[in-house]
Each structure stands twice: as structure tokens, then as C-alpha cells.
Amino acid sequence: MNASAKDLASLLPPGFTLGVATSAFQIEGALDEDGRGPSGWDVFAAKPGSIVEDHSPAVSCDHYHRMPEDVALMKALGIDSYRFSLSWSRIQPGGSGPVNPAGLDFYARLIDLLLANGISPMATLYHWDTPLPLDEAGGWMNRDTAYRLGDFAAIAAAAFGDRVTRWVTVNEPATVTTNGYALGMHAPGEALMLKSLPSVHHQLLGHGLALQALRAAKVQGEIGITNVYSPMVPATANPLDAVSAGLMDVAQNRLYADPVLLGKYPDVIRAATFFSSSFSPSSEDMELISQPLDFYGLNYYMPTRVGAGPGEGAVPPGMAEAMGDDLSGTPGAPFHIAPFPDTETTAYGWPVKPEYMSVALAELADRYPDLPPVYITEGGASFEDVVVQCVGSDRRMVPDERRLRYLADHIGTALEATRPGGAAEAVDLRGYYVWSFMDNFEWSAGYKQPFGLVHVDFDTQVRTPKASYYWLQEVLAARNAAPAAQPAGGQQDGAPAAGQQDADGQNGGVADVGEPSPAG
Ligand code: BGC
């Protein structure tokens, strides 16, 4: 795939959304300000040894105080849409009960500024930062948390339902269960292994209740859920590896997608005898979970190569080091993740395999005949960036060619795959959001894994757009310079909602903001 901005722009179908993504806990800082309550992640991150080098999320990108500056950088980039998450603890500090007006006000200002700049808001209700009182009551192991998320959705809908273009109910429940409840690498730090299954069902139920609340409030925007999806590749032709890859596929992909898109858990899960009594999905629950969606959010980062037996470790190679942990050799593990031979890896050790983007989309189309339109709600890569200070000037550059190529290859592959005649032509692909807009607090890896289009100096808070930012800016400019074509369908970015939004053709925004250029 060619990384030329013009070539990629020529592949973009009319109406295709290009956006950037972040989440509240990873960028905002200001954890104790203006009435925000603590989240389970505040407590987990403060425990020595939980985060690499004990990095603290207390300030992070200081986005809470620098939001207008960050939106100005988005505007100058020229993106159609910004995906962010609402901090539940900022809006409803106790996870239930009273609402914090200052929390609502922060997101009202963000949303209004986005709209004034022609950028469509995509708001995620739950991106992992559970209010602490809910975590203390069992978090997602407790069914009540699902109802609390439904209530939170109603609060968000009342406040922003007239202005948000797209809603994501829950982000990557698979990661919350695997890292937070099965392995203990994320908040709330539980290592329950298979006993973590109720946390799957309760998150999906939370999705269903949130969806129901948004619909009841008649929000203007489209509604979906975001699941991560990783095609599973048997390590060798050994049939045991194929069985292992199939099990991983169930554990990481189907367990989360089937209930939402097919209304049932995978057979192997339903048949398993290890269900605890608190995990007994009723038909009412399954109906809530499988309500029709306006779109399906897909996070694609990489495929996973799976071998039978304990192997090297339970996490991707490189991840263990990145986390400063020795997770190698998991005695008794039924299968393991193996490296792809001769394959470039990111700083996390994740394999760079754009061709599997096409596989992921084709598998989704194949498995889910009624798949709604798809947004790729996250994709991106961490690489060790170098900030170059130019001699004799205060100009700074970040030549992140590998990230730029990762994005060009993945977006290009997704577009090719979903064209008529492509491997995933049945998928109605509507957009791609780059993870991430700026470097941020990468959960247990702290500030060690930068994914941003914009470099953040965490000592000075100076933002420096990287080469990948300027490349994406060029893609958007080239697309906008092409003769206008009629969009295919769906809710368009910047389209008026309830008479509140400024109308905007793609990137016809109006606010007067600074324009970074490669010359800095
Ligand atoms: C999550 C993000 C995370 C990214 C990179 C996704 O799993 O939604 O919060 O930073 O991947 O690890």
C-alpha cells in the first residue's frame, strides 16, 4: 500500500468519516477537581507496581484545562469527527445519585466547541473508568453496575442528546474482562480467570440498558457499541493449534460480538459447565443486549497467532517487558500467543499486519449477516518517537514514519476490502478513527507507549504535531479538494441535529483557530 496522501484520499468514498479518538481517563488529568469523584482506575493506578515505573494519571495531557487548545489542533488537522469518552466520575461522582453540574459543563463546552468547528462529536459512555463506589460494590461482577450505566446514559442523553452525532455505549468489554477481571493487569485488578465471566454479561447488559435509555430519550445521534476484534491465526498446521485459536476466538471475539449481533452466546460458552450461578443469561437480558444498532464499532489493531500449550506467556510478546513484568511461561495455560515470524512489531510488541484488517472485516461480514454499518472506532500504533529540535530555531519535529505507514496501510486496506469486489464488500464501512489524537496515559504502560498523532511533552505540556498528523492533514485536504460527490447514507458529520449544530460540509468549519504547519 502506498502512503501517498493523494492516493489514499482518492480511495475515500463520499461521506466517509475520518476522525481521531481519545478517552477521558487517558487524557484529562484534574482527577480531584470541580467535584469529580474517584474512579477505580484512580485507586488501581496509585498502587505501587500497577503501572510501569509507577507513572501517575493525575495530570496526563492536562486536557481538562487545555481542551480549547486541543480542539484547535483538531480543527487545524481537518478531521470530520472526534471520539472522546465522558468521565462517569466527573458527571456522576458516586456512580449513582447526584449529578455534578461542573462535570456536565465541561463536556457541554467541549461538544459546543467541536460543533462550532465543524467536528462531529462521538461520545463513549463507558471507557473503563468505573466510579469507585461501584467498583467497591463489585464492579462489573455485580449486576447492579449495568443498571447504573443505564441511568448514566439517561443523564448523558438529557444533557447532550440534541448535539452528539454518534454514541458508543461501552468500549472494548473484552479488554475490561480480560485485563481487569481475569488477569488483574487493569483496574480493578482482579485475577479471577474463568470466574470473571459474569463481568462479560454485565457489561453487555449495561450496553443494552444504556442503548435503551438513549433510545427512550430520543437522542438525535446514531448508537453503537465498540468491540475489539483480532483475527486468530493458528501458529502451525498442528490441529491442536487450530483448536487453541478457535478457543481464543471465542474468548476474545465471539463472546462479545455474538450476543450483540446474534442474540446468543457462542455454543461452547453456553455448554461450558464452569458458569457460576450469577451468570445465567435470561431471554430478557439477551433481548436487551441484541437490540438493533445504528452502527457497530470495531477496534482493530492486530491479529493474534495462537499455539497450543503454555508457550512463552499469556500476553503478546513485548507486552510483558513493556509492563515491566515477567509474565513469561504461564504454567498450565491451555494455549499461548506466539510471535508472527519476520514481522515488524510496534513498541508494544504488537505485530504490524495490515492485511488482517481485511480478514477482520471479512470475518465480521461472514459471521454476522445483519451486521449494521461499521465504524472502525480505533486503530493505531505505539512507536518510540524522537523529538528533533532544529538547530538555530525553536522548531520541533517528530518524524514518525512508521506510524504514518501503519495508518496509511490499515486505512487503505480497509477501504480496498470493502469496495465492490473486495474481500469484505458486504461491510458498509462508514469511517475510521485514529487512536490516538495525542500521546496519553496508556493504562498499565503509563506514558511508555505513545500512540498519538500529536506528541505531548508530559513535563511541559507542549504539543508537537508529528509527521503522521501532517500526513493525515494532507489526506483530508486532498479529499476536500476533489470534486464533491453525494454521500452514501447514514448521519453525516457536522449535519444539523435538533437545530443546534452548525451545518457543515466535511471540514467547512468556521471557528478561527491557529493552523499548525510542518514548519511549526
Ligand atoms: C483502548 C484504548 C487503548 C488502545 C491502545 C484500546 O484497547 O480502547 O484505551 O489506549 O487500545 O492500547
Side-chain angles (χ1 to χ4, degrees):
M1 186 66 56
N2 184 332
S4 139
K6 278 209 178 105
D7 287 351
L8 187 68
S10 70
L11 291 176
L12 293 169
F16 190 87
T17 297
L18 280 177
V20 292
T22 64
S23 87
F25 191 76
Q26 293 179 270
I27 64 167
E28 286 181 3
L31 302 184
D32 298 323
E33 283 182 53
D34 295 342
R36 179 188 180 276
S39 79
W41 260 99
D42 297 29
V43 172
F44 180 77
K47 268 190 216 134
S50 301
I51 310 295
V52 70
E53 294 176 11
D54 289 338
H55 287 174
S56 162
V59 177
S60 187
C61 308
D62 198 27
H63 173 76
Y64 186 70
H65 298 114
R66 293 165 194 267
M67 181 267 284
E69 179 193 345
D70 291 333
V71 174
L73 275 170
M74 291 176 206
K75 164 69 178 167
L77 172 56
I79 44 147
D80 304 317
S81 182
Y82 171 44
R83 175 174 176 233
F84 57 93
S85 74
L86 302 172
S87 160
W88 190 347
S89 305
R90 210 178 273 298
I91 292 179
Q92 193 183 29
S96 61
V99 168
N100 173 27
L104 283 179
D105 179 61
F106 173 72
Y107 295 105
R109 282 185 287 118
L110 167 64
I111 291 168
D112 289 344
L113 194 58
L114 291 170
L115 292 171
N117 283 286
I119 300 169
S120 296
M122 177 187 255
T124 303
L125 289 170
Y126 179 72
H127 199 127
W128 306 358
D129 44 355
T130 315
L132 184 61
L134 300 186
D135 257 1
E136 286 174 341
W140 289 110
M141 293 297 286
N142 181 349
R143 185 178 167 95
D144 183 63
T145 300
Y147 293 92
R148 302 290 69 79
L149 183 64
D151 290 352
F152 177 57
I155 293 167
F160 313 123
D162 57 346
R163 286 169 287 174
V164 163
T165 312
R166 289 176 201 107
W167 295 90
V168 172
T169 52
V170 175
N171 176 72
E172 290 195 12
T175 310
V176 173
T177 289
T178 305
N179 288 357
Y181 289 88
L183 300 175
M185 288 158 39
H186 279 184
E190 302 282 354
L192 301 171
M193 300 309 285
L194 290 177
K195 293 205 175 87
S196 62
L197 268 169
S199 72
V200 176
H201 185 64
H202 296 152
Q203 286 186 87
L204 295 179
L205 182 62
H207 151 73
L209 291 163
L211 177 56
Q212 189 181 49
L214 293 173
R215 294 261 191 252
K218 299 195 169 27
V219 296
Q220 295 291 312
E222 300 171 337
I223 308 168
I225 184 174
T226 281
N227 273 323
V228 65
Y229 191 95
S230 181
M232 298 296 165
V233 186
T236 69
N238 179 340
L240 285 179
D241 287 352
V243 170
S244 302
L247 285 173
M248 271 289 272
D249 186 30
V250 167
Q252 289 299 302
N253 297 323
R254 285 186 180 272
L255 184 53
Y256 302 88
D258 285 13
V260 170
L261 296 170
L262 299 177
K264 58 184 182 122
Y265 282 95
D267 289 343
V268 59
I269 294 287
R270 287 188 293 163
T273 51
F274 48 70
F275 276 1
S276 71
S277 55
S278 57
F279 187 71
S280 48
S282 66
S283 56
E284 290 80 16
D285 282 6
M286 297 315 292
E287 266 169 39
L288 277 169
I289 290 170
S290 60
Q291 291 164 89
L293 301 170
D294 301 318
F295 68 87
Y296 189 71
L298 163 71
N299 288 357
Y300 172 81
Y301 286 92
M302 61 183 155
T304 307
R305 187 162 174 257
V306 190
E312 294 290 309
V315 294
M319 169 86 103
E321 276 167 273
M323 306 215 6
D325 263 340
D326 179 12
L327 295 168
S328 59
T330 308
F335 43 78
H336 66 276
I337 297 169
F340 282 87
D342 304 322
T343 297
E344 180 191 6
T345 53
T346 70
Y348 244 148
W350 296 355
V352 178
K353 289 277 193 196
E355 62 274 29
Y356 280 92
M357 163 66 88
S358 167
V359 174
L361 289 163
E363 283 183 0
L364 277 183
D366 193 44
R367 291 175 180 187
Y368 308 110
D370 297 325
L371 186 68
V374 171
Y375 286 90
I376 296 167
T377 39
E378 281 180 36
S382 64
F383 289 112
E384 279 158 29
D385 293 314
V386 181
V387 182
V388 182
Q389 182 81 47
C390 300
V391 184
S393 83
D394 54 8
R395 193 177 138 197
R396 292 148 56 92
M397 289 167 60
V398 185
D400 63 335
E401 304 301 328
R402 293 177 68 193
R403 182 175 295 104
L404 181 165
R405 183 160 288 284
Y406 178 101
L407 292 171
D409 288 349
H410 284 74
I411 300 172
T413 303
L415 293 171
E416 296 277 15
T418 50
R419 281 178 137 191
E425 65 176 334
V427 175
D428 178 1
L429 184 65
R430 296 276 173 90
Y432 187 102
Y433 288 77
V434 176
W435 185 271
S436 175
F437 171 60
M438 56 184 163
D439 296 344
N440 56 49
F441 182 78
E442 175 51 26
W443 307 111
S444 306
Y447 300 103
K448 284 282 188 185
Q449 299 291 329
F451 281 79
L453 297 171
V454 174
H455 175 270
V456 177
D457 180 322
F458 292 102
D459 293 326
T460 62
Q461 291 298 334
V462 168
R463 274 88 163 123
T464 307
K466 304 179 190 177
S468 53
Y469 172 102
Y470 294 115
W471 165 81
L472 188 60
Q473 191 179 48
E474 250 188 84
V475 172
L476 287 152
R479 179 200 68 185
N480 294 345
Q486 284 308 307
Q491 178 135 4
Q492 295 306 306
D493 296 297
Q500 293 259 354
Q501 280 182 223
D502 286 354
D504 172 37
Q506 279 175 337
N507 299 308
V510 288
D512 185 16
V513 290
E515 189 86 14
S517 72

